[in-house]
Structures are given as C-alpha cells and as structure tokens.
C-alpha cells in the first residue's frame, strides 16, 4: 500500500498551533497509510529540550530559518523537493502563507491551510496573498466554527471546513471529584498575552474582596513579560498576594484542574481554547468570556457560564454564585464533561484530518 506523505509546516515557537500539528503527526503514526514530516520555522523558543521531546515521540522533523521569509521559503522548497510530499499542511499565520507559496513553487500536488486563530495581523498584502494562494489550496481547515466564520469573510476560493481541536480524556479521572469537595477555588491556565486578559479576572477577584469573599486563585502559564508584570502589579495594587498563586509551568495540569472548583477563561479572542476543554474534562465549573473560540464551547447555564468580554462585574457575580452554592452547579460540570467526551477528543480530531487527507487523494 502506497503511503500518503504529509508534510506539516508550522511555527517552531511550540504554541498551540505547534501542539496541534504534533498531535496530528503523533496520532497518525498509528495509521498504516500515512507518513508524516514536521518542518518547524525556528524561533528563540525552539529549544533543544523541546526538540528532544519530538524525538522521544518518534517524530521526523526538520528546521528552517525564521527570517527573512524568502530564505525560509527557499529552505522549505528544498525540503519539499527532497521529501516529495503528496500533501503540504501549513498551520497558522503567517506560516500558511509562507508554506503554500513555497509549496506552489515546489509543485506540491495538494495543499491544506489550517487556521488556528480568529484574529491575526492581516495587512492588505497578506490578505491578497492568502486569497491568491487559496485557488491552489484543496481545503482550508478552521479549528472552530467561529474561526470558520472569520475565514468566510476573506473571500477564499478553497472550501472551508471546521475541525475542532481535541484532547486525550484518559489524562483525567474517569469520575472527577464533585466541585463542592475540592479544596482550591479558581484556576486559569493560559499564557500571558494580550488575547488572554488576565486583568479582568484579577479585577473580579478584587470586587469579591470588597464583599469579604476571598477565594484562592491559581494562574498557570508563561508568556510575555509585560503582561506578566501587568498581572503582578494588579495583584499587588489590590492586596491579593495572599490569595493568588502564579505558576510559570506545570507538567501536572490535569491534577491541578481536578483540585479546583472553577476554571475561568477571560479571553478577548481565540481559535479554539484547549484549556477550556481540558477543564471541562476535569470536572471544573467553567466560566468563559463571550469570545470566538470560547463561547462555542459553553452553553450558558447548561454546561457552564458565559460573561461579556472585559466585564469584571458580571464575572465576579458568577464566581460568587458558584463559590457560595457549588452544589447548584454540579449538573453543569457533568454536562460539560459529557460534551467533551462526545465532541472534543483527540481520536475524533485525528480521524477528521485523516478523512480530509484521504478525500483529497481520492478526489
């Protein structure tokens, strides 16, 4: 049986896009008719430790220069000519432009764009490029329905489909502890960035403190120093240091989630937030902002709660309701976990991508 050779091109920053590409490649190792190559656009965060983790997973990978873009493209073209992929999958912005431009020059038979975010820095030129390249693209994959709606406005010539990212539910207890029995209160797992808006959550915590409600808050994630400093300064300003714990990195995210009652995601924009999905799988009561990539995961008052972007007062009120009467929200956590098991598993995501690849080859 001839294998389908799939080359995934993605940032080497080991962001969410990189993680999804790695998950697809790792999962497709179990498929007898798929052979994968990962090409990373090297960044400062492309460390030897992270590359070693790819080797441990048995992933075949190569690196290309970060900039200038023409040099990145030239190196990628050479890899394409040597490896001869059937399908080039370019993940994220601007990699999907750089990758498909290189693929077109190197005569790759089929190309796929994967868009991981709902808000990117599209200049007039970049938008023209992605429209132009779409006529040489077999499929455009959006990681959520919200991202698909954004892409529909770009007037692309390739068909757009939504394939939601997925998680491995086996990482979490099959019967999570009820939130009323958990000893920690609130957690947010997110890198410090403009899109995540930790400030609104800290503002909500301060509003609760003014009512003599002082829950614990755990913030897990690294990111830009400027946004970390902003969060730290707000914590100090409101005298919340005894309530707030900051963890730069953890290899025990499932265990942390399973010890907390409430998970908050106060994003301003997303692609599809995997941390929300993981929190649902861990049995947390999830409260999320009405942002693309978050709001479609939560059905308000059925399997979680939703608040308007940047609305600290509503968030504070919701936190108070859950903290004072956690038993009233147990049913929501059960509904949320069931949703994840039904729609947001890694196995479902892998099959969806496999179906796209085989459909393209059989077209």
């Amino acid at each position: 049986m001839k294998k389908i050779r799939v080359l995934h091109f993605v940032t080497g920053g080991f962001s969410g896009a990189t993680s999804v590409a790695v998950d697809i490649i790792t999962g497709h190792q179990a498929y007898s008719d798929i052979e994968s190559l990962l090409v990373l656009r090297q960044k400062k965060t492309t460390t030897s430790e992270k590359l070693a983790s790819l080797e441990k997973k048995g992933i075949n990978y190569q690196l290309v220069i970060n900039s200038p873009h023409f040099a990145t493209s030239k190196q990628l073209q050479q890899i394409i000519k040597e490896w001869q992929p059937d399908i080039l999958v370019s993940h994220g912005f601007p990699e999907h432009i750089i990758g498909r431009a290189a693929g077109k020059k190197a005569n790759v038979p089929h190309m796929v764009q994967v868009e991981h975010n709902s808000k990117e820095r599209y200049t007039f030129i970049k938008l023209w490029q992605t429209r132009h390249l779409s006529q040489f693209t077999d499929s455009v994959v959006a990681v959520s329905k919200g991202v698909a709606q954004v892409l529909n406005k770009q007037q692309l010539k390739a068909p757009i489909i939504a394939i939601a990212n997925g998680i491995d539910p086996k990482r979490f207890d099959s019967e999570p502890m009820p939130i009323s029995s958990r000893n920690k209160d609130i957690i947010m797992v997110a890198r410090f960035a403009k899109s995540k808006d930790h400030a609104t959550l800290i503002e909500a915590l301060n509003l609760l403190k003014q009512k003599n409600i002082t829950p614990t808050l755990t913030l897990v994630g690294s990111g830009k120093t400027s946004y970390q400093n902003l969060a730290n300064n707000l914590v100090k300003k409101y005298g919340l240091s005894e309530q707030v714990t900051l963890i730069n990195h953890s290899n025990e995210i499932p265990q942390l989630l399973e010890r907390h009652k409430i998970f908050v995601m106060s994003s301003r924009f997303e692609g599809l937030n995997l941390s929300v999905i993981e929190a649902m799988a861990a049995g947390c009561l999830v409260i999320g902002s009405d942002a693309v990539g978050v709001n479609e995961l939560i059905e308000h008052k059925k399997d979680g709660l939703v608040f308007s972007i940047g609305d600290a007062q509503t968030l504070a009120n919701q936190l108070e309701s859950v903290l004072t009467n956690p038993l009233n929200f147990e049913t929501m956590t059960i509904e949320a976990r069931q949703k994840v098991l039904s729609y947001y598993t890694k196995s479902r995501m892998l099959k969806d991508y496999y179906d796209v690849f085989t459909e393209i080859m059989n077209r």
Side-chain angles (χ1 to χ4, degrees):
M1 179 187 294
K2 183 182 181 299
K3 291 190 175 184
I4 303 171
R5 294 168 72 87
V6 183
L7 188 157
H8 293 263
F9 176 57
V10 67
T11 175
F14 285 82
S15 63
T18 318
S19 298
V20 171
V22 168
D23 283 345
I24 295 170
I25 293 171
T26 305
H28 282 173
Q29 289 171 344
Y31 290 64
S32 60
D33 55 347
I34 294 280
E35 183 178 1
S36 304
L37 171 66
L38 176 66
V39 178
L40 298 171
R41 183 176 168 222
Q42 193 162 11
K43 297 292 188 75
K44 291 180 180 179
T45 49
T46 312
T47 63
S48 57
E49 291 82 5
K50 291 175 180 176
L51 294 177
S53 71
L54 299 179
E55 294 169 4
K56 288 180 181 178
K57 294 176 180 177
I59 292 176
N60 181 17
Y61 73 88
Q62 294 192 42
L63 302 176
V64 293
I65 195 171
N66 179 42
S67 61
H69 289 183
F70 75 84
T72 308
S73 178
K74 190 173 182 180
Q75 288 188 356
L76 181 57
Q77 289 174 55
Q78 186 60 38
I79 293 171
I80 290 169
K81 290 175 181 177
E82 293 172 358
W83 200 70
Q84 293 291 305
D86 298 299
I87 303 173
L88 169 64
V89 185
S90 298
H91 295 261
F93 177 89
E95 282 75 17
H96 72 74
I97 295 176
I98 300 169
R100 286 181 296 160
K104 180 175 177 289
K105 289 181 180 179
N107 298 313
V108 175
H110 304 284
M111 296 195 292
V112 174
Q113 171 194 349
V114 182
E115 184 57 83
H116 292 264
N117 213 330
S118 61
K119 187 175 181 180
E120 294 290 4
R121 300 181 300 277
Y122 279 100
T123 62
F124 176 81
I125 295 298
K126 295 297 183 186
L127 186 57
W128 179 88
Q129 286 177 310
T130 194
R131 286 174 178 163
H132 172 71
L133 290 166
S134 69
Q135 64 188 309
F136 308 102
T137 303
D138 293 79
S139 291
V140 177
V141 176
V143 300
S144 69
K145 294 176 183 177
V147 172
Q149 291 171 358
V150 172
L151 290 173
N152 278 324
K153 297 176 183 178
Q154 293 184 355
Q155 301 175 358
L156 305 180
K157 295 179 174 65
I160 300 169
I161 59 174
I163 299 180
N165 295 336
I167 66 161
D168 181 4
K170 294 178 182 177
R171 296 172 61 215
F172 302 89
D173 286 344
S174 57
E175 295 184 10
M177 184 186 300
I179 60 171
S180 56
S181 302
R182 301 185 181 193
N183 60 353
K184 298 288 186 179
D185 296 316
I186 308 165
I187 185 170
M188 178 170 171
V189 181
R191 73 184 188 278
F192 284 86
K194 180 180 180 180
S195 62
K196 301 304 180 183
D197 191 16
H198 291 76
T200 292
L201 174 53
I202 296 170
E203 294 279 359
L205 202 68
N206 179 53
L207 292 172
L208 290 177
K209 183 183 177 183
Q210 293 173 17
K211 300 172 71 173
N212 294 318
I213 301 172
T214 56
T216 61
L217 169 62
T218 306
L219 299 176
V220 185
S222 56
K224 287 191 175 181
T225 303
S226 58
Y227 290 107
Q228 287 177 314
N229 290 340
L230 174 63
N232 279 319
N233 290 338
L234 280 176
V235 169
K236 292 176 182 176
K237 174 184 176 181
Y238 296 133
L240 301 170
S241 298
E242 293 185 2
Q243 295 174 236
V244 180
T245 301
L246 286 88
I247 301 175
N248 188 58
H249 175 74
S250 174
N251 292 319
E252 298 182 341
I253 297 299
Q255 294 84 350
L256 277 172
L257 291 171
E258 287 167 350
R259 291 198 291 268
H260 287 76
K261 299 178 181 70
I262 305 168
F263 178 91
V264 174
M265 183 53 63
S266 52
S267 300
R268 294 189 174 274
F269 56 89
E270 291 283 349
L272 188 76
N273 193 283
L274 281 175
S275 293
V276 168
I277 298 172
E278 290 186 335
M280 288 177 162
C284 298
L285 189 285
V286 174
I287 304 178
S289 64
D290 190 19
V292 172
V294 176
N295 55 9
E296 72 182 69
L297 295 171
I298 306 167
E299 187 171 346
H300 185 56
K301 293 187 177 180
K302 181 179 180 182
D303 51 32
L305 300 172
V306 178
F307 64 96
S308 298
I309 295 171
D311 187 351
Q313 184 62 67
T314 297
L315 174 55
N317 294 341
Q318 292 172 340
L319 290 170
E320 181 180 359
S321 295
V322 181
L323 291 168
T324 53
N325 295 289
L327 284 171
N328 293 347
F329 296 86
E330 297 286 6
T331 303
M332 289 189 191
T333 65
I334 295 170
E335 289 276 354
R337 178 174 165 80
Q338 189 55 51
K339 178 189 280 188
V340 170
L341 297 178
S342 299
Y343 300 109
Y344 297 105
T345 63
K346 193 178 293 184
S347 60
R348 191 270 319 145
M349 177 188 75
L350 293 172
K351 183 181 183 302
D352 286 351
Y353 275 99
Y354 175 79
D355 289 345
V356 169
F357 297 159
T358 54
E359 191 274 333
I360 286 172
M361 296 301 295
N362 293 331
R363 191 175 296 170

